[in-house]
């Protein structure tokens, strides 16, 4: 007979397991007190008050109002938020808020516009002002995603390191977005008898696009301008004489009329070319730095002096120099100057770099206006990383840069005098207020989705360490790194212990909100018991053993391996006290006659 490898522990864990503080298949190894954990409301319902009351019934100490859907949030009456505040004060519950999903940069389906950015800013500010009703006495954290529409840069992690395989660029003038990929190109160059292959990164591709677009703009002018210049040189001497005859009122011959008309047509063509070159000058000046602008000022002054005639007394412009030869020479000189790569504007820019400035402006303004209105009790603007691979600004460095830019925007406005809309604060006080008002909500499930690009647990811990100094709030959800699913912690492969250790003291102190939408959807039970088990939360308020992760094994103490030491029949017969004992033993139950409890010997 084949020897079995069966072990009794497969079906019977034994009573000793409950004494192990690390017990439990879902325990993450990181212990979180019940008081710092909370649960999110259902974002699909506008009946916040009912959902809030239902969540209180499970004994929550922290609850996050979820307003991620703007159309649902706008359906919530303002009275409900005030009633939630009263209820939270009554039962001693901390309240936070997840704001609507709004694209802070101003991107829409039609592209970028400043009007869209300002609209997003107003919408976010209104959400912050409404959140104040949930907790007027403190700094309620209000979470906004760092981006809601911006497409994500695509990365891949290999043994050689991290590589960007695709990003998006924005054409600044139109606001349109184009994808840019890594490309392999072959050039007429040979090495060891083989044509050389050049690999261009997406960043290099953007530079190539800018160079090509700028060069093409001038290529279009080379032939037309040269042809017009030839026409002018051929017709100018005769045209000048014809002009004199016209002034004297003399009659022109047919050839003279024809030549003069060609001369005037050439002048008109030069005016059209001037418009084209003026457009290129505008781009170079608009997107150039201060050094470029200084050089362009000199070029513009030289061009102006050659092309325009002015009133000697008033210096007022009277029009373009009628001498087409002077006009043509000035245009050729302007074309040659602008075509130099020194003046090439960055018409196409990495979308992340461009929108980072726009988003930082929005978040900084929202935080400033909130602080200006509510002072020390202003809500905290906490910027969350969206699911990695889904939207931009999902990495630790992204959030760090965005927080710094947002705080800088806050500080610049706060130090302005009150008559200019600022608060007249000193820079040091403004910096303290900015640090308090703007920070990070770190979603451990969202960053875990970097795994689909080859990133490891070690990489995720590093990402967490990057945001640790800016942390205000934590969202807890588990997944397997491939899809944006939300399970209770311990049911996926999020390396929570390493990430929370990297977040340090701020991670310990921050409120940690369980987001388990997919668990609710499919299993229709509260995720909190499993969350307490995975977090190893203390069962009692003393913050000591036993822990929730030990709870599955607690029952084993009553079944020690020798049968039930406290069988149910004991309780059914005698109850939990002494009242069901016979009178002879101090209880109230009638004696049993000839039984062994009757006081006389058995027959």
């Amino acid at each position: 007979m084949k020897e079995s490898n069966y072990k009794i522990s497969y079906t019977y864990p034994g009573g000793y397991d409950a004494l192990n503080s690390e017990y439990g298949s879902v325990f993450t190894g990181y212990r979180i007190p019940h008081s710092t954990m909370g649960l999110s409301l259902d974002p699909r319902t506008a009946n916040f008050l009912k959902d809030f009351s239902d969540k209180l019934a499970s004994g929550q100490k922290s609850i996050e109002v979820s307003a991620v859907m703007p159309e649902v949030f706008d359906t919530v009456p303002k009275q409900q938020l005030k009633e939630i505040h009263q209820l939270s004060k009554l039962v001693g519950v901390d309240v936070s808020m997840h704001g609507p999903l709004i694209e802070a940069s101003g991107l829409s389906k039609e592209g970028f516009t400043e009007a869209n950015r300002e609209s997003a800013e107003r919408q976010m500010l209104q959400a912050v002002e409404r959140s104040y009703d949930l907790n007027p006495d403190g700094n309620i954290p209000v979470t906004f995603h760092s981006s809601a529409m911006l497409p994500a840069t695509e990365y891949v992690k290999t043994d050689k390191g991290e590589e960007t395989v695709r990003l998006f660029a924005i054409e600044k003038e139109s606001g349109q977005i184009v994808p840019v990929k890594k490309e392999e190109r072959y050039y007429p160059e040979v090495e060891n008898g083989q044509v050389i292959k050049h690999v261009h990164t997406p960043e290099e591709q953007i530079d190539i696009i800018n160079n090509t677009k700028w060069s093409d703009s001038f290529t279009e002018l080379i032939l037309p301008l040269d042809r017009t210049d030839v026409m002018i040189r051929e017709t100018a001497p005769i045209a000048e004489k014809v002009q004199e005859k016209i002034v004297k009122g003399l009659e022109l011959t047919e050839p003279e009329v024809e030549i003069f008309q060609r001369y005037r047509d050439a002048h008109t063509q030069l005016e059209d070319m001037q418009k084209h070159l003026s457009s290129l000058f505008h781009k170079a000046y608009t997107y150039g730095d201060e050094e470029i602008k200084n050089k362009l000022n000199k070029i513009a002054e030289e061009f102006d002096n050659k092309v325009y005639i002015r009133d000697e007394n008033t210096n007022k412009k009277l029009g373009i120099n009628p001498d087409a030869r002077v006009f043509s020479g000035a245009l050729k000189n302007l074309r040659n100057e602008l075509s130099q790569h020194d003046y090439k504007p960055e018409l196409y820019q990495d979308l992340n770099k461009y929108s980072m400035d726009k988003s930082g402006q929005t978040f900084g303004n929202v935080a400033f206006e909130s602080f200006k209105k509510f002072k020390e009790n202003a809500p905290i603007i906490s910027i969350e990383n969206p699911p990695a691979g889904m939207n931009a600004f999902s990495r630790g460095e992204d959030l760090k840069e965005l927080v710094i830019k947002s705080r800088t925007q806050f500080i610049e406005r706060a130090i302005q005098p009150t008559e200019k809309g600022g608060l007249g604060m000193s820079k040091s006080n403004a910096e303290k207020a900015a640090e308090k008002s703007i920070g990070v909500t770190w979603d451990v499930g969202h960053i875990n989705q970097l795994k689909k690009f080859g990133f490891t647990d070690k990489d995720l811990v590093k990402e967490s360490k990057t945001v640790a100094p800016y942390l205000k709030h934590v969202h807890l959800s588990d997944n397997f790194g491939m899809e944006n699913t939300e399970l209770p912690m311990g049911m996926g492969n999020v390396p929570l212990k390493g990430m929370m250790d990297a977040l340090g003291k701020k991670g310990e102190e921050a409120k940690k909100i369980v987001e388990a939408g997919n668990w609710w959807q499919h299993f229709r039970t509260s995720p909190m018991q499993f969350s307490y088990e995975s977090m190893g939360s203390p069962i009692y308020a003393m913050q000591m053993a036993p822990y929730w992760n030990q709870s599955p094994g607690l029952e084993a103490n009553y079944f020690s391996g020798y049968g039930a030491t406290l069988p149910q029949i004991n309780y059914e017969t005698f109850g939990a006290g002494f009242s069901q004992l016979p009178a002879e033993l101090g209880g109230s139950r009638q004696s049993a006659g000839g039984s062994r409890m009757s006081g006389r010997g058995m027959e």
Side-chain angles (χ1 to χ4, degrees):
M1 182 176 179
K2 186 178 180 180
E3 183 179 354
S4 172
N5 61 357
Y6 170 79
K7 295 181 181 179
I8 194 170
S9 60
Y10 292 164
T11 56
Y12 179 72
Y16 61 86
D17 288 317
L19 301 178
N20 179 8
S21 63
E22 303 294 312
Y23 177 70
S25 61
V26 298
F27 182 46
T28 61
Y30 188 82
R31 204 172 299 283
I32 297 178
H34 171 271
S35 59
T36 67
M37 289 178 63
L39 189 59
S40 173
L41 298 187
D42 188 343
R44 298 167 298 179
T45 178
N47 194 348
F48 281 6
L49 187 58
K50 181 181 183 305
D51 199 23
F52 190 87
S53 300
D54 292 342
K55 295 296 190 295
L56 286 179
S58 60
Q60 299 308 308
K61 298 297 293 180
S62 296
I63 295 180
E64 183 153 288
V65 171
S66 184
V68 296
M69 299 180 181
E71 67 279 7
V72 175
F73 186 47
D74 274 3
T75 312
V76 180
K78 62 182 180 181
Q79 291 82 0
Q80 280 209 6
L81 301 184
K82 293 181 179 181
E83 290 181 34
I84 287 176
H85 166 63
Q86 294 173 343
L87 187 56
S88 66
K89 295 289 285 184
L90 181 65
V91 298
V93 171
D94 289 327
V95 183
S96 58
M97 180 173 170
H98 195 315
L101 296 182
I102 300 169
E103 180 49 57
S105 64
L107 174 68
S108 69
K109 294 179 180 179
E110 291 74 33
F112 274 99
T113 66
E114 179 60 18
N116 285 343
R117 192 204 64 76
E118 292 174 354
S119 176
E121 184 179 306
R122 286 189 290 269
Q123 194 173 359
M124 292 171 68
L125 182 58
Q126 185 185 76
V128 172
E129 290 174 343
R130 293 192 68 188
S131 74
Y132 182 77
D133 289 337
L134 291 168
N135 186 7
D137 306 318
N139 308 110
I140 177 173
V142 183
T143 293
F144 291 102
H145 279 201
S146 58
S147 69
M149 283 188 65
L150 287 172
T153 299
E154 293 183 15
Y155 307 94
V156 63
K157 184 71 182 292
T158 65
D159 295 337
K160 296 180 181 180
E162 182 180 327
E163 181 183 350
T164 302
V165 295
R166 186 175 80 151
L167 52 75
F168 291 83
I170 178 172
E171 206 282 309
K172 293 181 180 178
E173 287 202 309
S174 66
Q176 296 304 304
I177 297 171
V178 294
V180 183
K181 299 186 297 183
K182 179 182 77 171
E183 283 194 11
E184 297 177 351
R185 295 187 177 188
Y186 294 93
Y187 295 99
E189 303 173 22
V190 177
E191 186 174 306
N192 298 325
Q194 296 293 324
V195 174
I196 298 175
K197 178 176 68 174
H198 292 266
V199 178
H200 295 288
T201 65
E203 293 83 0
E204 291 171 340
Q205 284 288 92
I206 293 177
D207 198 46
I208 291 172
I209 292 172
N210 281 323
N211 285 333
T212 303
K213 292 285 186 181
W214 192 243
S215 297
D216 289 348
S217 298
F218 294 98
T219 302
E220 298 171 3
L221 287 177
I222 291 177
L223 286 177
L225 187 53
D226 288 346
R227 287 172 182 170
T228 304
D229 188 56
V230 170
M231 186 188 304
I232 289 171
R233 281 190 280 109
E234 291 175 347
T235 59
I238 298 175
E240 288 176 357
K241 294 178 181 179
V242 171
Q243 182 67 39
E244 292 175 2
K245 291 178 71 174
I246 293 174
V247 173
K248 295 178 181 179
L250 300 177
E251 188 175 348
L252 303 178
T253 65
E254 266 188 50
E256 287 176 334
V257 171
E258 182 181 347
I259 291 174
F260 189 71
Q261 187 60 47
R262 288 179 61 199
Y263 180 79
R264 295 189 62 178
D265 289 345
H267 201 284
T268 302
Q269 290 175 22
L270 290 178
E271 291 177 357
D272 290 339
M273 293 176 196
Q274 182 195 8
K275 293 177 182 177
H276 186 78
L277 283 170
S278 295
S279 175
L280 295 175
F281 182 91
H282 165 76
K283 293 177 182 179
Y285 195 87
T286 300
Y287 302 113
D289 56 25
E290 287 303 315
E291 182 181 354
I292 292 296
K293 288 180 178 179
N294 289 334
K295 290 181 179 180
L296 290 173
N297 280 333
K298 295 179 180 178
I299 293 173
E301 185 177 359
E302 182 180 349
F303 180 80
D304 183 279
N305 290 335
K306 286 182 179 180
V307 171
Y308 297 100
I309 57 174
R310 300 174 181 272
D311 184 279
E312 294 181 357
N313 298 320
T314 64
N315 202 37
K316 182 179 179 181
K317 284 184 181 179
L318 300 177
I320 295 176
N321 192 323
D323 189 338
R325 287 170 296 187
V326 175
F327 192 12
S328 176
L331 288 176
K332 289 180 71 174
N333 185 64
L334 180 61
R335 180 196 66 188
N336 294 336
E337 289 280 2
L338 291 179
S339 61
Q340 296 181 30
H341 282 289
D342 289 348
Y343 301 114
K344 177 200 67 179
E346 195 178 27
L347 297 177
Y348 287 81
Q349 185 180 2
D350 183 337
L351 178 63
N352 279 11
K353 292 179 180 178
Y354 180 85
S355 52
M356 180 70 75
D357 292 333
K358 299 293 184 181
S359 297
Q361 182 181 358
T362 299
F363 284 116
N365 286 344
V366 171
F368 172 77
E369 294 296 340
S370 173
F371 183 84
K372 187 176 182 180
K373 183 172 184 178
F374 301 118
K375 303 298 187 292
E376 293 301 320
N377 291 330
I380 294 171
I381 308 303
S382 198
I383 307 172
E384 178 183 358
N385 54 309
M390 185 176 295
N391 293 119
F393 305 151
S394 60
R395 305 284 299 274
E397 283 293 339
D398 294 330
L399 290 192
K400 175 182 176 181
E401 184 178 354
L402 186 53
V403 167
I404 291 173
K405 285 186 177 295
S406 302
R407 289 179 177 177
T408 300
Q409 176 72 9
F410 180 104
I411 293 167
E412 288 177 354
R413 293 198 61 186
I415 62 177
Q416 291 295 316
T418 54
E419 58 268 20
K420 291 186 178 181
L423 296 174
M425 299 176 70
S426 67
K427 188 173 181 181
S428 60
N429 287 338
E431 287 173 348
K432 291 178 183 178
E435 183 177 350
K436 178 182 177 181
S437 301
I438 305 170
V440 166
T441 291
W442 191 236
D443 193 307
V444 298
H446 287 174
I447 196 62
N448 194 55
Q449 289 166 64
L450 279 177
K451 287 181 176 175
K452 72 177 99 175
F453 305 113
F455 288 75
T456 65
D457 287 351
K458 186 178 180 180
D459 296 320
L460 304 186
V461 171
K462 189 176 179 180
E463 296 279 337
S464 303
K465 190 173 183 179
T466 300
V467 302
Y470 310 95
L471 189 74
K472 300 288 186 182
H473 204 53
V474 176
H475 281 171
L476 298 176
S477 64
D478 213 336
N479 56 55
F480 294 94
M482 301 298 144
E483 299 293 337
N484 185 32
T485 52
E486 295 178 333
L487 298 173
M489 299 308 305
M491 295 187 175
N493 60 20
V494 171
L496 186 71
K497 186 178 188 307
M499 294 169 75
M500 292 303 299
D501 286 342
L503 294 177
K505 186 177 181 181
K506 288 193 174 184
E508 294 177 12
E509 297 173 349
K511 295 297 180 183
K512 291 162 275 290
I513 302 299
V514 175
E515 293 186 318
N518 295 94
W519 179 265
W520 284 107
Q521 177 185 356
H522 297 289
F523 301 99
R524 302 184 184 281
T525 59
S526 172
M528 292 312 295
Q529 176 186 340
F530 305 102
S531 297
Y532 295 146
E533 291 177 16
S534 67
M535 297 295 102
S537 299
I539 291 178
Y540 301 111
M542 293 86 73
Q543 306 298 321
M544 56 184 290
Y547 305 108
W548 271 99
N549 60 296
Q550 296 173 278
S551 62
L554 290 177
E555 189 178 1
N557 291 330
Y558 295 97
F559 298 90
S560 61
Y562 300 101
T565 57
L566 291 175
Q568 184 64 25
I569 189 65
N570 289 17
Y571 295 99
E572 292 176 355
T573 304
F574 304 118
F578 298 100
S579 63
Q580 295 301 313
L581 292 174
E584 292 87 344
L585 297 180
S588 58
R589 194 169 184 175
Q590 186 177 356
S591 297
S595 71
R596 55 182 167 177
M597 295 183 180
S598 64
R600 57 187 176 85
M602 297 180 64
E603 297 177 353

